[in-house]
Amino acid sequence: MRKRSPSASRSGISGGALVRRRVLLGTMVLVALVALAGLFSFLTRDGRTPANHPSASPSSPSAASPAATAPASNSGAAALPVPPDTRDPIAFGKAAAMALWSYDTRAYSQPELVAALHRWLTAEGQYVDADSVEHQVPSPLLWGRMADSGQFATATAAEAHFPESFTRALQADPGAITQAYVYAVTVSGKQSISWTGSPQGGAEDRSVTLAVQCRPDRPCALVGVMPSVAP
């Protein structure tokens, strides 16, 4: 049986077009105001400092706090991902990427994972793109086949940064970010897939650009997954 990663399980022209439309619509802010600037560009502009997170340079890896996890019910099995309490878009982006790249068919069902990822999403309906997040999870049919062999995946996020296009857009209009506080974060890392009888499995490099909302008065939340990776 050929093992497939979640990102390749539900691709399609119509699905990709839908994701692109919704991301670009709900993120027209992600072109003008979300294009990708830094939390630090905004915070240093008005003299404030971010609360409860380590300082970091937008161009360098951030010391991201890993996503919190609920207690695991099965020995050796992974728990469902829980969003971290942070106001740093870089740290949140790394945690979100690891959550999207990780799964464990031995510990929970496909609907349970989808429901857990929904808890990472912003409650602001005019910006959120839940479909783009669900698209990262294997379909129920594929999940069932994966569960037959006890397939699971773990992930690491080695680096995260604000894309150049976002940084340039914010530099051109620093005040634009204050409408939605949505940041583009590109994360690079590795996904390792294993299954029953093959504890080593295989590993592959992964990259993704996420839209992350970090308002000054609340923890960060996920807006959606961009249809392509922004360098």
Side-chain angles (χ1 to χ4, degrees), residues 28-108:
M28 225 164 196
V29 196
L30 274 175
V31 174
L33 68 99
V34 174
L36 258 103
L39 174 66
F40 300 96
S41 298
F42 166 70
L43 292 174
T44 56
R45 179 168 56 85
D46 63 6
R48 286 180 288 180
T49 56
N52 300 324
H53 66 77
S55 60
S57 168
S59 60
S60 63
S62 170
S65 56
T69 56
S73 57
N74 299 327
S75 177
L80 288 165
V82 178
D85 184 359
T86 180
R87 288 174 172 78
D88 181 348
I90 295 291
F92 185 89
K94 293 180 77 171
M98 288 189 289
L100 293 173
W101 296 337
S102 303
Y103 58 85
D104 194 337
T105 64
R106 306 166 302 171
Y108 43 76

Side-chain angles (χ1 to χ4, degrees), residues 12 20 80 136:
R20 184 172 292 102
L80 288 165
Q136 306 300 307

